[in-house]
Amino acid sequence: MTLTLNDIAAALGATVQGQSDIIITGAAEPAMAGEGDIALAMDPRYGDGLSKGKARAAILWEGADWKELGLDGALFVPRARYAMSGLTKLLDAGPDVDAGIHPTAVIHDTATIGAGAAIGPFVVIGRDVAIGKNARIGAQSTISEGTVIGDNATFYNAVRVGARVTIGDDIFVQSGAVIGADGFSFVTPEKSSVEKARENLGDMGEVKAQSWTRIHSIGTVEIGDDVEIGANACIDRGTIRATKIGRGTKIDNLVHIGHNVEVGQDCLLCGQVGIAGSTVLGDRVVLGGQCGVSDNIKVGSDVVAGGGTNLYTNVPSGRAVWGPVAVKMETQIEMNKALRRLPRMMDQFKDLQKTVSNLVHKT
């Protein structure tokens, strides 16, 4: 992709200084930048790297002297990290899928594909599927019967979509993601040891040998507009009602969302998060990497959970939590400090024991 420095400035709402017609074909860290790259030096710490690279232009920190840094042109942006989102969007060509339908694709006669679609090799599209305009479906993806996908869908290779799933506009799905797998739901003829342990807080009583019987998943998945799903993420279909993902939510690699879960709008679910069945997340919830969320609880809007947090009970809106058993983040920090003090406190306690023992013997 070829752009001028002025094109990038216009897209980012940036201020351009120097030569605005410099041709840009990529982006790089300052020391590794070639002549066609725009160097990313939005912080003074990266300024020294510009002399090691060959970039003619850079995005610089406020107040930087681009001439002194040996550049022919520069951009200045109000918020560097936000500018990165716009720049990478400009330079990302997305999956390489030729326009039209590849001759090896298998598409059911009843399926409808919108104008401007690009359907890659060995894609399989089932009965009564409807795909909107400008879809890009990567090689070896499968879309099962009755699924409806909105406009501007981007699927990388080997995405799997189950039956009767509904997906909004501007979906972005990385390779290996599975949307609409069966939920993990099993039952025994009589109460299982799991049910007893849960009811009695650990006391299982008499345990009988029983086999697990599948509860089939006949629900589906409903996904809003502008949702992104990472590589090898899995969203299970509902048992009866739909599993729901709200508009604007971003789901990282290896995230698992169980059956009947409802995720609100603009949530951020980081790598290896697991959400058990029938739990409800409000809007703008952020779950750090490897968070685990128990089944049948409610997590309010604007909750932030630090990495590795386990949420076992309802969490009120607007709370930051952390810990192996979720508590307020500031409480967990105090608990960690107290834990670090324990060895010293034990030494002090032993010294106190000796002192008291010596006093007793003297008397």
Side-chain angles (χ1 to χ4, degrees), residues 128-342:
D128 296 325
V129 168
I131 298 177
K133 296 179 292 185
N134 303 317
R136 301 171 76 186
I137 310 297
Q140 298 185 346
S141 294
T142 58
I143 302 172
S144 299
E145 65 273 13
T147 286
V148 177
I149 301 173
D151 295 340
N152 307 314
T154 300
F155 286 13
Y156 279 76
N157 296 340
V159 172
R160 312 295 183 209
V161 182
R164 305 181 309 282
V165 170
T166 301
I167 298 174
D169 296 338
D170 303 307
I171 183 77
F172 196 99
V173 189
Q174 295 283 353
S175 297
V178 178
I179 303 169
D182 279 359
F184 191 73
S185 191
F186 298 87
V187 68
T188 51
E190 298 179 35
K191 281 188 178 181
S192 68
S193 56
V194 176
E195 292 173 279
K196 291 178 181 178
R198 189 165 191 164
E199 286 178 358
N200 303 310
L201 300 180
D203 182 5
M204 297 186 292
E206 182 184 358
V207 177
K208 297 180 180 179
Q210 300 183 85
S211 295
W212 296 102
T213 301
R214 165 188 283 270
I215 297 175
H216 290 256
S217 300
I218 60 174
T220 185
V221 178
E222 296 176 1
I223 297 177
D225 297 341
D226 192 30
V227 169
E228 299 198 16
I229 300 171
N232 296 316
C234 186
I235 303 173
D236 290 347
R237 64 178 56 254
T239 306
I240 302 295
R241 58 184 169 84
T243 301
K244 297 182 179 181
I245 310 296
R247 178 198 57 76
T249 284
K250 314 302 181 189
I251 298 170
D252 198 0
N253 302 340
L254 298 169
V255 169
H256 178 211
I257 298 175
H259 60 278
N260 302 338
V261 168
E262 296 183 17
V263 177
Q265 297 183 8
D266 293 312
C267 293
L268 200 65
L269 309 182
C270 300
Q272 297 185 338
V273 161
I275 305 175
S278 299
T279 280
V280 177
L281 271 59
D283 299 333
R284 299 171 300 282
V285 172
V286 178
L287 300 180
Q290 295 190 328
C291 281
V293 186
S294 188
D295 60 290
N296 290 283
I297 66 170
K298 292 185 178 180
V299 178
S301 294
D302 301 299
V303 165
V304 175
T309 297
N310 292 315
L311 289 73
Y312 295 109
T313 58
N314 297 342
V315 182
S317 295
R319 181 164 292 181
V321 296
W322 184 35
V325 177
V327 296
K328 287 183 179 179
M329 193 170 285
E330 58 267 31
T331 302
Q332 183 63 45
I333 291 170
E334 289 304 313
M335 290 166 64
N336 291 349
K337 289 179 180 178
L339 192 62
R340 288 199 300 271
R341 295 188 192 108
L342 275 178

Side-chain angles (χ1 to χ4, degrees), residues 113-128:
I113 311 295
I119 310 295
F122 302 105
V123 168
V124 178
I125 298 176
R127 173 175 45 82
D128 296 325

